[in-house]
Amino acid sequence: MADEQQLFKVTIDNITVEVAPGTTILMAARQIGGDVTPPAMCFYSKLQGSGGKCRTCLVEVSKGSEKDPRPMPKLVASCRTTVMDGMEVKNITSDRVLDARAGVTEFLLLNHPLDCPICDQAGECHLQDLSYEHGKEGTRYEFSRRTFEKENIGPYIQLHMTRCILCYRCTYVADQLTNTRVHGVLDRGDHAEISTYISKAIDNDFSGNMIDVCPVGALTDKTFRFKNRVWFTKPVSAHRDCPTCCGKVTLWNRGDEVLRVTARKDQWGEVESYDGKPGWICNTCRFDKKDLNDWVIEGPAHVSRHSVISANHYEKAIKPQETVPEVMGGRKPKLLMDIHDVSDVNDPDVDLSKINGPATGATFTKK
Amino acid sequence: MARKLLLEKAHVENIRSYEVYRREGGYRSVEKALKTLSPDAVTEEVKKSGLRGRGGAGFPTGMKWSFLAKPEGIPRYLVVNADESEPGTFKDRYLMEFIPHLLIEGMIVSSFALGSNRSFIYIRGEYWWIVDILEQAIQEARNNGWLGKNILGTGFDCDIYVQRGAGAYICGEETALIESLEGKRGNPRIKPPFPAVKGLWDCPTVVNNVETIAAVVPIINEGGEEYAKIGVGKSTGTKLISACGNLNKPGVFEIDMTISVEEFIYSDEYCGGIANGKRLKACIPGGSSVPILPANLLLKTAKGETRYMNYESLSDGGFATGSMMGSGGFIVLDEDQCVVKHTYTLARFYRHESCGQCSPCREGTGWMEKLLLRLEKGQGKMSDIDLLWDIQRKIEGNTICPLGDAAAWPVAAAIRHFRDEFEWHVTNASEAITKNYGLAHYADPLLATA
Ligand SMILES: Cc1cc2nc3c(=O)[nH]c(=O)nc-3n(C[C@H](O)[C@H](O)[C@H](O)COP(=O)(O)O)c2cc1C
Ligand code: SF4
Ligand code: SF4
Ligand code: FES
């Protein structure tokens, strides 16, 4: 065909792909998949204008293009840099990139409360994944962390600003999926905060999607708060005939109980697209349809992320053999720990998000 | 005696008023440009002049103008950056306050060259009284036919608007400025696209510093080639320097860029030497973002050659032993100043001014501030110094806009050149709170020759 679009060749970590002009390095890397794909904490392909901020996706461009082979002097944000024909990119094969990424990870964790034990996002948190892969075991930060009061935005969403990494994704949701702009960023620098303008409640059919785009546990579903750990719930794909949205969701169940409803996510943690359109879901589907009878069940949801969720169950999962009774020689398993001590430690009065630095034993024993 | 091109008439009585400014030869360049030159010819003169941007980066102005996209049917804009918030820099204020018509005149000529029918001055909010001065000058220019429709009967329309900022240093960064001008939060944009292609309201835009635009007036009056004869090498024309710190005569000086740093500090024509007979310890030659230099490296380059007040000489030696011309904010520290405290003050500034978009700058600036405060208070550890180095290294080059670099460089330079002073704050903690480290033994070349 004469009008066939010319494709650009780009080589990322020695693997070559052909992509349409205008594709970003990150999206090209996603076509390859696997380890050569840089992590992305702020970019969200379905939100226009997102990306460029967190700097976790920095890569080295060792050859600009066939025409102009000069390398780029600085690392570039792969999510906002478009490929050129013949471009060569180094991601995990570049020490500079890995060093910078470790730095970014440390920066992102600097003011983060590390309250994963009580955070609803744990298990599906991109910051956990990032720290696991690029973080160091300890912190070099010895000062108090910034804290904020928890804030309710609307009846369904809680903002836990202390955990926010200021990726701005939720503000784009507010901007692009809803028709009133009441959500934004106040102040600047490390004292900046996400806010609805003067705590105005976000009341809009699609506001719940900001929970799905939030990479951390800063925006959580109040109808699911503290109900369960995500890895104990069973995700199933389901749909309903919804007049407002696509109605295609993931239900997170325990037994017959629907604990949570979310949009379906792809392997990059973004909402799935259907016929090229993002499958955002409405608040009715998300917050009000908590009965299995509301839904047509399609089957177990595909969770291919390497997070702890997939460590638990899912399709083709082979249930490991139950070994305890054997090990115990037929006797009932006995508790191996003095549970009372543990529950002492598990003091509900201690708000882990409010303490300075990581928690230690002393945090809990203080009376 | 150096020639003055910008401030020559700044102290003529009532030069602020249109009548006096015009009587002294004002607005000649507008007549010349609009009546005898084409827009491209004006750009060509600016190219020939070798003028470099006076806002900090020193990018050749003529080249910048020629990059401006000119798609059919889409407006183009000139935006003058009068945000001037860099600590140590106060030259634009002086120019706008004392000789406002020079800026307006330069803007009309530049707008003509760029094809901008609506041009803007984005001025920092704290300069509120200068807003009135500029508004008055614009009104006078309009009343006398220099602005508005069909200027001088040439068919060229131009109007100028003044917009006040609200007190953010980051709004001096050109894309943050554009966002702010559009009425949005002043977050720098991710580049590309550059403003020359997609700037104000997504239209092609040139952002220039106040002094850059003012310099267009003498360039057109005298011709680009004549202008280029002043100065040396790629540092053509005259430059405004705002000198502050421990000097006998701090203030704004117009220099031609052939004088040495030593002459600038010590001669009576300029700063008149260090105040109170003290000795020179260190200096930040180009505004708070550029590397600090100890006296020995300030007055002479690493090769032992005299250092001059121009773009090339000040950056001789790279960041290892040199600095930058920057925005011309010349900050001088005498022997009684503490480099650690000084670096802390700058770090506090950058932390406060970071827009917070990118994680290295948002988190790193705060961390550096806290570490520096701890060191300054004598509570630091030796490892803090290496940690600071590592933090600045991880910010530099990894951010959206140059504020990240601007926050990293002063810390890097202070540790590079004054590491012993940082270490002294750790080893002599109690002394560090009450007294000063004083002069670095190696840092005073005048002492050696005395
Ligand atoms: C954080 C930051 C602050 C800046 N502040 C100013 C300023 O106050 N005034 C200015 O003219 N340029 C400032 N700049 C430089 C501008 O981005 C831009 O380069 C300049 O206005 C271009 O003008 P010029 O080419 O005439 O120098 C700043 C840059 C950064 C990164
Ligand atoms: S609340 Fe979540 S989505 Fe919004 S900016 Fe913070 S981390 Fe990003
Ligand atoms: S470097 Fe700092 S000021 Fe510049 S965009 Fe990033 S966070 Fe904002
Ligand atoms: S994902 Fe690219 S900068 Fe955040």
Side-chain angles (χ1 to χ4, degrees), chain B residues 330-347:
Chain B
F330 196 84
I331 308 170
V332 171
L333 278 65
D334 74 13
E335 57 189 296
D336 288 344
Q337 307 309 315
C338 171
V339 169
V340 177
K341 182 167 186 187
H342 173 81
T343 312
Y344 159 68
T345 308
L346 292 183

Side-chain angles (χ1 to χ4, degrees), chain A residues 51-55 80 99 103 106-107 110-111 140-143 165-166 168 185 187-190, chain B residues 168 185 187 190 351-355 357-359 362-363 367 370 374 381 387 390 393 398 400:
Chain A
K53 299 188 193 319
C54 71
R55 319 306 284 177
R80 290 294 293 260
D99 181 52
E106 184 172 30
F107 288 134
L110 216 58
N111 272 305
R140 299 185 288 177
Y141 189 69
E142 299 170 321
F143 304 93
I165 60 161
L166 284 166
Y168 280 63
V185 178
D187 221 318
R188 61 181 182 229
D190 59 2
Chain B
R185 179 183 163 85
N187 277 2
I190 295 151
R351 177 203 157 213
H352 187 254
E353 298 296 340
S354 161
C355 85
Q357 269 191 106
C358 24
S359 20
R362 176 182 68 238
E363 306 293 344
W367 196 2
K370 293 190 177 93
R374 179 156 95 179
K381 300 185 277 194
L387 183 55
D390 196 47
R393 188 177 69 80
N398 291 339
I400 295 175

Side-chain angles (χ1 to χ4, degrees), chain B residues 1-75:
Chain B
M1 178 77 194
R3 274 197 65 190
K4 289 196 170 125
L5 297 175
L6 303 177
L7 300 184
E8 190 188 4
K9 301 275 169 62
H11 295 288
V12 173
E13 202 177 338
N14 270 332
I15 192 74
R16 256 190 216 164
S17 76
Y18 171 76
E19 286 70 31
V20 177
Y21 183 75
R22 178 71 179 147
R23 193 187 68 216
E24 294 289 328
Y27 290 99
R28 269 187 303 137
S29 71
V30 179
E31 286 176 314
K32 183 171 173 186
L34 268 60
K35 288 189 170 163
T36 69
L37 298 170
S38 69
D40 286 346
V42 175
T43 305
E44 201 47 46
E45 288 305 314
V46 174
K47 264 191 186 161
K48 278 191 228 157
S49 73
L51 175 67
R52 295 170 68 169
R54 306 300 197 218
F59 192 82
T61 306
M63 207 194 293
K64 184 169 184 168
W65 288 11
S66 62
F67 288 158
L68 185 71
K70 295 185 175 152
E72 206 48 52
I74 294 177

Side-chain angles (χ1 to χ4, degrees), chain A residues 29-39 91-92 267-268:
Chain A
R30 284 186 178 181
Q31 292 190 14
I32 302 173
D35 285 346
V36 306
T37 313
N91 177 30
I92 48 172
Q267 60 170 320
W268 312 112

